[in-house]
Amino acid sequence: MHAIDAPGTPRNWELYRTAVVDIRFGDRAVRVEPRPRGTAEGFFPVPARSVTVHVITAWNPRGRTTSDGVNACAQRVLLDEIRRCGLTSWPAEGGDACGTHREESVAVVGLSDTAARDLGRRFGQDAVFAWTPDAWRALACESGAVAVSGWAASGRASA
């Protein structure tokens, strides 16, 4: 994985760089995992080559653990905003590869990287993810820091 260093890299930057995301497309779930740069294996949900799928959460703002109730309320506000904008979205969950830390998220099509970072920043997030046909990127919300890698997406039946 390759990182473009910038001032203001989040304290837990390495956790974002290695995070995995599960996205539910109806009855199909896809796990997106970082891989060496240049790798793109598996299912990408959007046929257009120029489309980015951003993954954003409202959970645990500013890196502080918050109650499930507070997190759920913040996530509903985020989802309402995405719906009001008329953006295509799917339920998602991000966290570490071991599954010890998970956060409800949303995968969104129709945002620029700047708009995705702005949305993440408004919900107190350190970073958002950007998935394209050729890269998986962690984007710091408060700075220009970007961690670029390849990706592998493995499908499984959705629960």
Side-chain angles (χ1 to χ4, degrees), residues 6-71:
T9 300
R11 180 188 61 194
N12 294 322
W13 190 235
E14 190 59 29
L15 297 176
Y16 296 107
R17 293 180 62 200
T18 59
V20 301
V21 174
D22 294 322
I23 305 172
R24 289 183 305 281
F25 302 99
D27 62 352
R28 179 181 190 176
V30 174
R31 171 163 284 186
V32 184
E33 301 178 75
R35 290 289 189 262
R37 197 171 189 162
T39 304
E41 299 174 352
F43 171 78
F44 185 76
V46 185
R49 298 252 346 132
S50 62
V51 171
T52 301
V53 177
H54 289 94
V55 180
I56 305 168
T57 187
W59 277 50
N60 299 323
R62 291 166 200 35
R64 295 186 185 106
T65 302
T66 305
S67 73
D68 288 347
V70 169
N71 282 330

Side-chain angles (χ1 to χ4, degrees), residues 4-5 26 39 42 52 56 77 85 116-117 119 127 135 145-146 149:
I4 299 170
D5 293 324
T39 304
T52 301
I56 305 168
V77 172
C85 292
R117 280 178 157 141
L119 191 56
V146 179
S149 70

